[in-house]
């Protein structure tokens, strides 16, 4: 997957000359996945082996999601934003590590964060050829742009029969058609907290997949399983539940 990377310096604190290169380090984000502390990889896909907070039994057949705009902030609120994106494809074990081709200054940062999905101004319909090629687009009748996440599988419904679900996160849209409206932003910023960087750093970030189904909204797959993209209320529930999905487990330096 091609990654488009640029760097936006918002304050001169982060500008550096040749003499400062010794104070610059590289970094990467590694993404791993669990279900309430049980590790999950694509080897665990395609069989009903997970139970959500509603006691629905389910499988995972596909999981991929997009992150963008990594940001480092200092205690004065000054920021460096590394523009770009990475489509993490757990199903095919691709892009689980994201290493932007820019460096950051050693030091203590009051917060490190990234965006889950795209901010609205960057969620431009058809703008990214590599995402177009992977069927990551959202239909124009829902506002166009791109998915934030595709989580698909099967669950045992109330009749104890396997049924498909498509837990797809996008920008919430109402009035599908020529002029959809957008009741609420549903991308969100994931805050990893205070960090001190002294050497090249690997950020080990965990997604607890179970959280998508439980906090603060207990998700009933018998009620919400498919056709969730044109359902703005469902998108807002996903946004709420996503606030507790990611955590920074460790930093290797």
């Amino acid at each position: 997957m091609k990654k488009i990377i640029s760097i936006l310096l918002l304050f001169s604190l982060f500008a550096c000359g040749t003499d400062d290169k010794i104070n610059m380090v590289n970094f990467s984000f590694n993404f791993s996945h669990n279900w309430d502390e049980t590790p999950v990889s694509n080897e665990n896909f395609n069989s009903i082996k997970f139970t959500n907070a509603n006691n629905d039994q389910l499988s995972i057949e596909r999981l991929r999601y997009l992150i963008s705009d990594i940001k480092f902030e200092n205690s004065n609120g000054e920021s460096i934003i590394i523009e770009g994106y990475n489509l993490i494809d757990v199903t095919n074990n691709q892009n689980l590590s994201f290493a932007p081709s820019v460096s950051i200054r050693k030091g203590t940062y009051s917060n490190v964060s990234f965006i889950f999905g795209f901010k609205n101004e960057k969620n431009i319909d058809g703008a990214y050829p590599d995402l177009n090629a992977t069927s990551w687009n959202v239909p124009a009748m829902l506002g166009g742009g791109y998915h934030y996440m595709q989580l698909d599988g099967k669950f045992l419904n109330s009749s104890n029969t396997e049924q498909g679900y498509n837990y797809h996160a996008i920008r919430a849209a109402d009035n599908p058609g020529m002029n959809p409206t957008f009741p609420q932003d549903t991308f969100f910023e994931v805050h990893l907290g205070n960090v001190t960087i002294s050497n090249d750093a690997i950020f080990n970030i965990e997604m607890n997949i179970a959280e998508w189904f439980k906090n603060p909204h207990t998700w009933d797959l018998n009620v919400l399983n498919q056709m969730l993209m044109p359902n703005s209320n469902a998108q807002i529930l996903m946004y709420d539940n996503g606030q507790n999905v990611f955590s920074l487990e460790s930093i290797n330096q």
Side-chain angles (χ1 to χ4, degrees):
M1 166 89 36
K2 177 184 177 183
K3 306 187 178 65
I4 303 171
I5 303 295
S6 63
I7 189 166
L8 175 62
L9 295 177
L10 298 183
F11 295 89
S12 61
L13 175 68
F14 293 96
C16 62
T18 304
D19 293 341
D20 292 329
K21 286 183 178 179
I22 193 171
N23 293 317
M24 305 302 289
V25 295
N26 299 317
F27 74 95
S28 62
F29 279 15
N30 284 357
F31 290 88
S32 56
H33 306 83
N34 69 77
W35 189 280
D36 286 339
E37 299 185 357
T38 298
V40 174
S41 72
N42 60 355
E43 295 181 357
N44 307 115
F45 285 12
N46 302 310
S47 63
I48 292 180
K49 62 189 305 180
F50 306 103
T51 302
N52 69 12
N54 196 55
N55 289 320
D56 300 321
Q57 297 179 63
L58 64 141
S59 69
I60 300 171
E61 295 181 354
R62 177 170 67 172
L63 173 58
R64 53 184 188 164
Y65 57 95
L66 186 139
I67 67 106
S68 62
D69 285 3
I70 296 171
K71 181 167 67 174
F72 290 82
E73 301 174 74
N74 73 8
S75 58
N76 297 323
E78 298 171 333
S79 304
I80 180 172
I81 299 174
I82 299 168
E83 297 183 331
Y85 58 84
N86 185 48
L87 178 57
I88 297 146
D89 186 345
V90 184
T91 311
N92 295 305
N93 203 35
Q94 294 178 344
N95 301 324
L96 302 184
S97 182
F98 181 37
S101 55
V102 296
S103 300
I104 58 170
R105 189 185 295 276
K106 296 177 183 178
T108 297
Y109 295 91
S110 59
N111 187 47
V112 179
S113 65
F114 61 86
I115 298 297
F116 175 77
F118 278 125
K119 290 183 177 180
N120 298 335
E121 62 269 23
K122 297 179 181 177
N123 198 11
I124 304 166
D125 197 40
Y128 309 110
D130 57 322
L131 298 182
N132 301 337
T134 59
S135 301
W136 196 240
N137 309 72
V138 170
M141 64 180 295
L142 294 173
Y146 297 91
H147 284 76
Y148 304 158
M149 181 176 72
Q150 293 173 335
L151 171 56
D152 304 306
K154 293 183 173 64
F155 72 102
L156 295 180
N157 64 22
S158 56
S159 301
N160 204 37
T161 301
E162 285 192 11
Q163 180 178 339
Y165 72 87
N166 305 111
Y167 193 110
H168 289 195
I170 65 170
R171 184 182 186 186
D174 285 331
N175 306 310
M178 294 295 293
N179 296 294
T181 56
F182 306 102
Q184 177 183 315
D185 291 339
T186 44
F187 70 85
F188 56 85
E189 189 170 11
V190 177
H191 298 277
L192 303 178
N194 178 284
V195 302
T196 298
I197 305 298
S198 55
N199 293 289
D200 290 350
I202 300 172
F203 290 74
N204 298 307
I205 300 166
E206 283 272 345
M207 174 196 274
N208 182 358
I209 305 167
E211 284 286 349
W212 287 111
F213 298 98
K214 70 176 179 180
N215 183 29
H217 308 292
T218 301
W219 198 275
D220 186 346
L221 282 170
N222 285 281
V223 177
L224 294 169
N225 49 68
Q226 294 182 329
M227 296 299 293
L228 303 183
M229 289 173 61
N231 183 338
S232 64
N233 289 330
Q235 292 300 319
I236 292 168
L237 295 178
M238 293 180 192
Y239 165 86
D240 290 343
N241 281 13
Q243 305 302 311
N244 299 299
V245 163
F246 293 97
S247 61
L248 176 62
E249 293 302 300
S250 62
I251 303 176
N252 297 339
Q253 298 191 67

